[in-house]
């Protein structure tokens, strides 16, 4: 083992490889010093291959798909039970956030079952919660229905929940919180694309910074960039993409930031970089197009807004409404050259990371 430790979680995969995750280096009556190590058995010894995102003890780990572990729950160094879970790619030792539990758990059992479509279903059984033992059982929804696509999640003071149909960012009522979900696999975009998605904002609050519009800030953004796997820009008026290098952003802005030349509390804008950085400032050279008309105002009351972003030649069309029928764009921008905007180089096949859904709010979502 990399270090001496107590009760790490041991998991054997179908290929008979064996992995240890987490465990305890030392303990006291108030908690302990828990491990983040991911270790693989190599011959007669274990070798470290990576680290979990959080130190864990009393957790569970099961195989979830080829070459991937699902690490579930456990507790932190203060003996507070987790709801968080992680995916571990055993080939790289890299860990990413997985869907969370509904209830915190430690010292519990988990099993992997299969539904009628042979899709894997992870089940957590019993365990210890912060308030005492529980006899509940829950099923984890872990990106069922999207087997060829995985997500990278970034967050700042927020929690994320994912299933096959939606992503939810849950924040407190504090200011300047941000989160991002990125598709892990690169796809072609320079020859055109047509992306549809929907979003909603709930429990909105401007935290005393009234903008003359409905409560809730700062918006949802669709971003294309070709620099890093999972960037997260400035929160608040940065809408989570300010200062990302290069790229294109289509923002569905729900707050009026006068310093950024926002025209109204609810507006849609297409932004590009200045050659070195992408910004939400609605002035040249960043602004490509902006509108406050043709779509309903963005209200943080749970209303579902349907959006569509379509690149056709050098024309970028943006659609938005409260029904999924989107035939007339509310904004069209010309002279969109994705090769130039994304700085695509020869051999990169015109690909980019896509920022599917962003929830950057000064409020609950």
């Amino acid at each position: 083992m990399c270090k001496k430790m107590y009760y790490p979680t041991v998991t054997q995969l179908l290929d008979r490889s064996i992995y240890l995750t987490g465990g305890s280096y030392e303990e006291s009556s108030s908690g302990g010093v828990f491990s983040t190590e991911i270790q693989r058995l190599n011959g007669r010894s274990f070798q470290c291959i990576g680290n979990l995102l959080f130190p864990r003890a009393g957790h569970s780990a099961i195989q979830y798909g080829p070459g991937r572990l699902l690490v579930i729950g456990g507790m932190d160094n203060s003996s507070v039970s987790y709801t968080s879970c992680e995916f571990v790619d055993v080939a790289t030792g890299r860990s990413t956030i997985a869907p969370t539990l509904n209830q915190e758990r430690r010292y519990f059992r988990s099993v992997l079952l299969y539904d009628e479509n042979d899709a894997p279903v992870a089940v957590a059984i019993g365990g210890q919660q912060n308030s005492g033992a529980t006899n509940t059982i829950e099923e984890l929804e872990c990106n069922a229905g999207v087997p060829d696509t995985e997500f990278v999640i970034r967050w700042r003071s927020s929690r994320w929940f994912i299933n096959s149909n939606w992503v939810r960012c849950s924040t407190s009522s504090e200011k300047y919180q941000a989160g991002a979900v990125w598709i892990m696999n690169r796809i072609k975009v320079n020859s055109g694309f047509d992306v549809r998605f929907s979003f909603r904002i709930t429990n909105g609050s401007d935290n005393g910074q009234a903008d003359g519009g409905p409560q809730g800030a700062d918006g949802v953004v669709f971003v294309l960039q070709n620099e890093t796997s999972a960037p997260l820009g400035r929160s608040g008026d940065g809408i989570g993409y300010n200062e990302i290098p290069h790229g294109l952003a289509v923002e569905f802005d729900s707050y009026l930031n006068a310093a950024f030349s926002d025209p109204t509390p609810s507006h849609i804008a297409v932004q590009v970089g200045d050659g070195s950085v992408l910004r939400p400032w609605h002035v040249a050279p960043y602004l490509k197009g902006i509108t406050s008309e043709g779509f309903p105002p963005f209200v943080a009351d749970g209303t579902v807004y349907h959006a569509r972003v379509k690149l056709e030649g050098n024309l970028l069309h943006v659609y938005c409404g409260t029904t999924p029928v989107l035939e007339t764009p509310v904004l069209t921008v010309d002279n969109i050259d994705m090769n130039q905007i994304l700085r695509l180089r020869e051999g990169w096949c015109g690909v980019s990371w896509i920022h599917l859904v962003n929830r950057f709010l000064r409020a609950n979502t």
Side-chain angles (χ1 to χ4, degrees), residues 253 266-268 291-298 320-321 330:
D253 198 323
S266 291
H267 55 276
I268 296 173
T291 184
S292 301
E293 300 178 352
F295 61 94
F298 301 128
C320 187
V330 299

Side-chain angles (χ1 to χ4, degrees), residues 224-239:
L224 299 175
Q225 59 88 29
N226 197 44
E227 293 296 316
T228 59
S229 61
L232 180 59
R234 294 179 58 186
S235 56
D237 54 19
I239 324 182

Side-chain angles (χ1 to χ4, degrees), residues 84-136:
S84 67
C85 305
E86 306 180 29
F87 286 127
V88 175
D89 183 338
V90 298
T92 64
R94 184 170 177 268
S95 186
T96 56
I97 287 290
T100 59
L101 295 163
N102 291 314
Q103 298 178 326
E104 70 274 5
R105 298 175 190 269
R106 65 180 184 267
Y107 304 132
F108 64 100
R109 299 298 182 189
S110 63
V111 295
L112 186 67
L113 307 175
Y114 291 87
D115 63 17
E116 64 276 9
N117 299 315
D118 289 328
V121 178
V123 178
I125 306 169
Q128 184 77 20
Q129 297 181 297
N130 293 324
S131 59
T134 178
N135 61 358
T136 62

Side-chain angles (χ1 to χ4, degrees), residues 7 20 24 29 58 60 112 134 157-158 184 201-202 223 264 319:
Y7 54 86
L20 303 183
S24 173
S29 59
S60 179
L112 186 67
T134 178
S157 302
S158 60
M184 186 177 293
I201 306 169
T202 60
V223 178
T264 55
Y319 307 74

Side-chain angles (χ1 to χ4, degrees), residues 11 82 86 94 100 117 137 149 190 204 221 227 230 254 273 334 360:
T11 308
Y82 285 123
E86 306 180 29
R94 184 170 177 268
T100 59
N117 299 315
I137 299 172
T149 303
N190 58 347
V221 188
E227 293 296 316
S254 62
D334 60 6
F360 308 115

